[in-house]
């Protein structure tokens, strides 16, 4: 009803309203879409550099829209993922048929847009011509689908409808090169309709008669420069120059005087004019009527047309994923519901395309629901921590699209959500600082992640003081790793080396680092992730690579040496010697003193029951939370 009120027509292409089933797809929040650069880059918002840019080999606008929707709405059910995987396996195994299908689809037009234009009344003859060409390609597309046996491809083949009668009707009716306008004629072939043929013949014959009349009048009057012209005001006229006015016959009737001559009509010319103009106007009106009848005939088959459009679009998207799999040497991942994530020689799909062949360094990944739930990744900036974590997230997401993935082999768990917290930025429009934005994103993850989620945390706690940030990061890892709270698979990149102690304190936490080789003050990034913790962050060396003045980097080393001498004193409260919750709480012994101080200053005579309850709640949150899983 809303669409009819606003669009003022029947909108016959809107056939039904389909309920969006959230259980069928994996939800992706805004931060995850942005950080993983699914359809646009983080900087610049460009297509190039996004996952869509890598995977998009579609040859139709319809297929491009479907592929985008697949990337933005990964599948949530193993059966649906398997159906697409089987189709891609079939397509990648038959290069000849895959290439031929892409070629045939390249000869089709945007059927969905054409149907919409016909229904809304904005279509012209060229749209009907494009529709005809698309329908005439369907038999060839169906023929090239015969070699495939995958269930989804068989469904697409069996449900394609060439609508032969519609295609033949349009072939008989529409000219090969019709004009854009539908109200000036020239669209319909004259043999399509007998009455139209009669009008068009009369019009063309009338013009021939006028040419013959001009020649006869020249001979009759002896005026060699006489000519017959036409304009919309006077119609057809005989034009004679001033030097020949003495030769005009008596049956000429003056209509207009010009600077260099005069215009006349006679009875014979008026008769021809009536025939020509009448036939022309009637032919235009009839063509417009026939064109509308053709549109109505097309719309009678709108269900079949829309199904054809959906099938061609899906086929194009599948062919695109198949083409990407072949070109980039992707493999079909195994989807499991046991929570095991194992990637052999995994690669970042976008970064490896940006680099020359063979330059990207692949990495292994092992996560599960038991002893390796959380990876704490340390290493210098620029070494590849962010690339590694994003590559894991993208491989998992691609697997849920049904796509093949950039790896030598991959076992991917069925996940319900992928969460990412990457980078630092403020939001001045809403008055939020960099740290507040970071904490909002972390809070969203902690409130929505489940044990079946995948969480990517690229630095947390960096927007505040060292002690505050380290405390928050430590507590977040404890919370996420705890199976009674979340217990999901997590990758955390950090420069807080103190967090690596959690491997010895929490079951399920493992340390990894990005390997580097250094020669004196020079460092070489090896881009390889290995078990264990990094010994240092190499921040000063990276700053030197960035071009900071030598005086600054040298002074930085002096300051660093002094700070490192007092490191054990600065971080003493983060050292723990037991895996029991009671001993871990000693990390926050300083808070006990604060509570004692508050208790000593508390005036029980003036404290209301509600205030007392608030104090109890605050202390319970600080000292009674679970910090150790097992």
């Amino acid at each position: 009803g809303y669409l009819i009120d606003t669009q003022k027509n029947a909108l016959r292409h809107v056939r039904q309203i389909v309920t969006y089933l959230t259980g069928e797809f994996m939800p992706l929040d805004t931060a995850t879409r942005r950080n993983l650069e699914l359809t646009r880059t983080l900087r610049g918002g460009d297509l190039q550099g996004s996952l869509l840019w890598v995977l998009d080999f579609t040859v139709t606008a319809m297929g491009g829209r479907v592929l985008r929707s697949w990337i933005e709405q990964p599948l949530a059910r193993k059966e649906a993922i398997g159906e697409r995987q089987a189709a891609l396996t079939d397509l990648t195994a038959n290069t000849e048929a895959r290439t031929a299908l892409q070629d045939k689809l390249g000869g089709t037009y945007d059927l969905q847009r054409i149907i919409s234009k016909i229904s809304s009344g904005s279509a012209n003859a060229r749209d009907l011509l494009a529709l005809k060409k698309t329908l005439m390609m369907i038999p060839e597309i169906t023929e090239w689908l015969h070699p495939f046996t995958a269930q989804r491809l068989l469904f697409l083949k069996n449900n394609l409808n060439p609508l032969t009668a519609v295609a033949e009707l349009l072939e008989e009716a529409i000219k090969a090169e019709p004009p854009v306008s539908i109200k000036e004629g020239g669209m319909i072939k004259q043999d399509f309709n007998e009455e139209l043929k009669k009008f068009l013949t009369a019009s063309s014959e009338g013009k021939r008669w006028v040419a013959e009349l001009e020649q006869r009048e020249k001979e009759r009057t002896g005026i060699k420069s006489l000519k017959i012209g036409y304009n919309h005001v006077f119609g057809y006229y005989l034009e004679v120059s001033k030097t020949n006015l003495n030769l005009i016959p008596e049956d000429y009737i003056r209509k207009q005087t010009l600077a260099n001559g005069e215009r006349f009509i006679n009875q014979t010319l008026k008769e021809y004019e009536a025939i020509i103009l009448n036939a022309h106007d009637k032919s235009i009106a009839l063509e417009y009527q026939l064109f509308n009848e053709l549109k109505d005939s097309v719309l009678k088959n709108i269900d079949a047309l829309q199904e054809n459009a959906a099938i061609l679009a899906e086929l194009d998207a599948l062919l695109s994923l198949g083409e990407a799999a072949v070109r980039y040497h992707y493999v079909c991942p195994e989807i499991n519901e046991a929570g095991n994530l194992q990637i052999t020689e995994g690669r970042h799909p976008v970064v490896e395309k940006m680099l020359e062949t063979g330059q990207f360094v692949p990495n292994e990944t092992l996560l599960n629901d038991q002893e390796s739930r959380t990876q704490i990744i340390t290493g210098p900036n620029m070494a590849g921590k962010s690339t590694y974590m994003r590559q894991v997230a993208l491989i998992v997401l691609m697997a849920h699209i049904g796509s093949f993935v950039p790896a030598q082999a991959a076992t991917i768990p069925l996940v319900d959500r992928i969460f990412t917290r990457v980078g630092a930025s403020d939001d001045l429009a809403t008055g939020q600082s960099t740290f507040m934005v970071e904490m909002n994103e972390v809070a969203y993850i902690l409130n929505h992640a489940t044990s079946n989620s995948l969480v990517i945390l690229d630095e947390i706690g960096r927007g505040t003081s060292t002690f505050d940030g380290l405390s928050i990061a430590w507590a977040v890892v404890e919370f996420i790793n705890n199976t009674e709270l979340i217990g999901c698979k997590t990758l955390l990149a950090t420069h807080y080396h103190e967090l690596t102690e959690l491997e010895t304190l929490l079951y399920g936490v493992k340390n990894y680092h990005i390997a580097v080789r250094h020669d004196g003050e020079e460092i070489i990034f090896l881009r390889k992730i290995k078990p264990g913790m990094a010994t240092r962050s190499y921040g000063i060396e990276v700053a030197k690579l960035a071009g900071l003045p030598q005086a600054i980097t040298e002074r930085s080393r002096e300051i660093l040496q002094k700070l490192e001498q007092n490191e054990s004193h600065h971080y003493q409260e983060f050292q723990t010697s037991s895996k029991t919750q009671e001993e871990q709480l000693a990390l926050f012994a300083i808070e006990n003193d604060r509570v004692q101080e508050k208790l000593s200053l508390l005036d029980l005579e003036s404290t209301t029951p509600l205030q007392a309850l608030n104090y109890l709640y605050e202390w319970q949150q600080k000292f009674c939370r679970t910090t150790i899983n097992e």
Side-chain angles (χ1 to χ4, degrees):
Y2 171 79
L3 291 175
I4 290 171
D5 281 347
T6 56
Q7 304 305 309
K8 306 303 181 186
N9 61 53
L11 293 173
R12 283 180 280 182
H13 65 293
V14 182
R15 308 292 289 174
Q16 59 181 337
I17 296 174
V18 180
T19 304
Y20 178 83
L21 301 176
T22 55
E24 296 292 314
F25 306 102
M26 178 200 301
L28 295 174
D29 60 85
T30 303
T32 298
R33 294 173 188 270
R34 181 182 68 248
N35 294 331
L36 294 183
E37 300 179 301
L38 299 183
T39 58
R40 63 179 66 182
T41 57
L42 200 56
R43 295 191 177 207
D46 302 318
L47 173 65
Q48 183 172 349
S50 67
L51 179 63
L52 178 60
W53 171 67
V54 173
L55 299 180
D56 192 358
F57 289 96
T58 57
V59 294
T60 69
M62 298 183 296
R65 291 192 293 268
V66 167
L67 181 62
R68 177 185 287 268
S69 72
W70 285 359
I71 292 173
E72 293 179 334
Q73 296 177 327
L75 297 170
R77 291 190 305 107
K78 183 178 179 181
E79 296 76 13
I81 296 171
E83 195 173 60
R84 279 188 198 164
Q85 287 183 336
L88 292 184
T89 301
D90 224 355
L91 289 169
T92 55
N94 193 327
T95 301
E96 181 186 10
R98 187 183 71 253
T99 304
L101 283 169
Q102 284 186 301
D103 180 62
K104 301 303 178 186
L105 280 171
T108 64
Y109 293 82
D110 192 341
L111 204 52
Q112 293 170 334
R113 185 168 181 267
I114 291 171
I115 295 168
S116 175
K117 290 180 70 177
I118 293 173
S119 175
S120 62
S122 61
N124 59 25
R126 295 184 181 183
D127 293 316
L128 294 189
L129 187 65
L131 173 60
K132 180 206 73 174
K133 291 178 178 178
T134 301
L135 293 177
M136 294 180 76
M137 293 298 296
I138 287 179
E140 296 183 57
I141 292 171
T142 304
E143 186 66 27
W144 279 106
L145 283 170
H146 281 308
F148 301 111
T149 58
Q151 182 180 356
R152 191 61 191 172
L153 295 178
L154 287 175
F155 172 84
L156 299 182
K157 180 190 72 174
N158 294 334
N159 286 275
L160 268 177
N161 187 343
L163 294 172
T164 306
V166 175
E168 290 176 350
L169 176 65
L170 297 177
E171 171 65 21
E172 293 173 4
I174 304 297
K175 286 185 176 181
E177 295 182 3
V180 174
S181 174
I182 61 174
K183 294 186 176 180
E184 295 180 5
M187 304 176 291
I188 309 296
K189 294 178 180 178
Q190 68 174 16
D191 291 334
F192 178 69
N193 181 276
E194 284 299 323
E195 189 175 6
L196 177 62
K197 183 177 182 180
K198 182 181 70 173
F199 291 143
L200 292 175
T201 301
S203 180
S204 61
E205 284 295 316
K207 292 176 181 177
R208 183 177 60 83
W209 295 336
V210 168
E212 292 175 352
L213 176 62
E214 181 181 288
Q215 186 60 35
R216 289 200 305 270
E217 288 300 307
K218 286 181 180 180
E219 294 172 358
R220 180 167 77 95
T221 61
I223 304 172
K224 302 301 181 183
S225 61
L226 181 146
K227 62 181 181 181
I228 296 179
Y230 174 82
N231 64 36
H232 291 289
V233 178
F234 296 108
Y236 285 96
Y237 54 82
L238 295 145
E239 186 169 319
V240 180
S241 62
K242 284 189 175 181
T243 57
N244 293 308
L245 290 178
N246 61 316
L247 299 177
I248 60 171
E250 293 182 358
D251 60 329
Y252 277 30
I253 302 170
R254 182 178 285 102
K255 291 291 293 182
Q256 185 181 16
T257 299
L258 305 174
N260 298 320
E262 294 189 8
R263 290 174 177 174
F264 303 86
I265 59 169
N266 64 10
Q267 186 61 35
T268 306
L269 183 59
K270 287 184 66 67
E271 290 173 359
Y272 284 143
E273 179 183 72
I275 295 172
I276 295 168
L277 296 182
N278 204 25
H280 180 67
D281 291 342
K282 286 184 177 179
S283 70
I284 290 176
L286 183 55
E287 281 201 52
Y288 183 70
Q289 176 187 331
L290 293 172
F291 176 76
N292 287 325
E293 290 174 358
L294 286 171
K295 289 197 301 182
D296 290 337
S297 297
V298 168
L299 289 174
K300 289 177 182 177
N301 300 276
I302 193 168
D303 289 334
L305 286 170
Q306 289 184 322
E307 186 169 14
N308 279 345
I311 289 172
L312 294 178
E314 181 178 347
L315 179 59
D316 192 16
L318 287 171
L319 287 165
S320 178
L321 292 179
E323 186 67 25
V326 171
R327 290 199 187 193
Y328 304 137
H329 308 289
Y330 292 171
V331 298
C332 182
E334 176 190 340
I335 305 297
N336 73 88
E337 297 180 273
N340 298 320
L341 192 159
Q342 185 168 4
I343 301 171
T344 304
E345 298 289 296
R347 314 184 305 273
H348 192 294
V350 180
V351 175
E352 77 160 348
K353 185 178 178 182
M354 295 287 197
L355 299 175
E356 293 182 11
T357 304
Q359 282 194 345
F360 188 88
V361 179
N363 273 299
E364 316 296 312
T365 304
L366 177 62
L367 289 168
N368 55 42
D369 292 335
Q370 291 80 41
E371 77 284 352
S372 186
R373 283 191 301 277
T374 304
Q375 283 188 11
I376 295 179
I377 306 166
T378 50
N381 289 314
M382 299 290 295
K385 300 190 299 295
S386 297
T387 298
Y388 167 72
M389 294 195 301
R390 282 184 173 96
Q391 115 187 356
V392 173
L394 285 173
I395 288 174
V396 171
L397 184 137
M398 289 172 67
H400 283 73
I401 294 170
S403 169
F404 288 9
V405 299
Q408 191 178 89
T411 300
I412 306 297
L414 204 63
V415 303
D416 58 1
R417 296 284 296 269
I418 296 174
F419 296 96
T420 64
R421 211 236 63 82
V422 175
S425 62
D426 53 29
D427 189 351
L428 299 179
T430 59
Q432 296 189 81
S433 67
T434 299
F435 184 64
M436 178 58 77
V437 171
E438 176 184 335
M439 290 299 99
N440 279 338
E441 292 181 359
V442 172
Y444 180 85
I445 293 172
L446 298 180
N447 289 325
H448 292 85
T450 73
S451 59
N452 294 321
S453 301
L454 173 65
V455 173
I456 305 297
L457 298 172
D458 192 354
E459 299 287 358
I460 54 173
R462 302 292 289 180
T464 184
S465 70
T466 302
F467 289 141
D468 281 352
L470 176 56
S471 303
I472 292 170
W474 187 296
V476 167
V477 174
E478 287 181 345
F479 191 92
I480 292 180
N481 186 71
N482 191 328
T483 54
E484 294 182 5
L485 298 174
I486 299 179
C488 66
K489 285 170 278 294
T490 304
L491 298 177
L492 167 66
T494 183
H495 285 283
Y496 291 133
H497 285 212
E498 294 74 20
L499 294 180
T500 58
E501 294 185 23
L502 289 170
E503 182 182 60
T504 62
L505 300 175
L506 300 179
Y507 177 77
V509 175
K510 296 291 182 183
N511 287 329
Y512 285 85
H513 70 281
I514 301 292
V516 298
R517 186 170 72 240
H518 56 95
D519 181 12
E521 296 181 0
E522 301 297 324
I523 60 173
I524 301 172
F525 301 124
L526 301 180
R527 315 292 186 189
K528 203 70 178 175
I529 186 163
K530 295 183 177 181
M533 58 177 284
T535 56
R536 41 186 300 213
S537 290
Y538 299 96
I540 296 175
E541 288 78 1
V542 174
K544 181 180 178 182
L545 289 175
L548 259 66
Q550 184 177 355
I552 292 179
T553 56
E554 290 179 354
R555 175 59 178 155
S556 298
R557 288 193 178 91
E558 294 174 4
I559 297 171
L560 178 63
Q561 288 177 357
K562 294 180 180 179
L563 292 175
E564 286 176 341
Q565 291 173 359
N566 300 320
E567 182 179 6
S568 59
H569 169 73
H570 285 310
Y571 297 108
Q572 183 175 3
E573 69 261 36
F574 291 98
Q575 308 302 315
T576 57
S577 58
S578 170
K579 290 188 178 182
T580 63
Q581 180 179 1
E582 291 76 16
E583 288 180 339
Q584 271 203 291
L585 292 178
L587 291 171
F588 305 96
I590 191 171
E591 293 291 346
N592 291 328
D593 296 336
R594 294 178 182 174
V595 173
Q596 291 176 3
E597 181 182 354
K598 287 186 178 181
L599 280 172
S600 64
L601 297 175
L602 192 63
D603 184 1
L604 295 179
E605 295 294 333
S606 61
T607 301
T608 66
L610 180 58
Q611 289 174 330
L613 186 61
N614 286 335
Y615 284 129
L616 284 173
Y617 177 78
E618 177 186 346
W619 297 332
Q620 183 187 57
Q621 292 299 303
K622 286 183 178 180
F623 303 108
C624 299
R625 70 185 188 283
T626 302
T627 59
I628 299 179
N629 177 32
E630 289 181 348

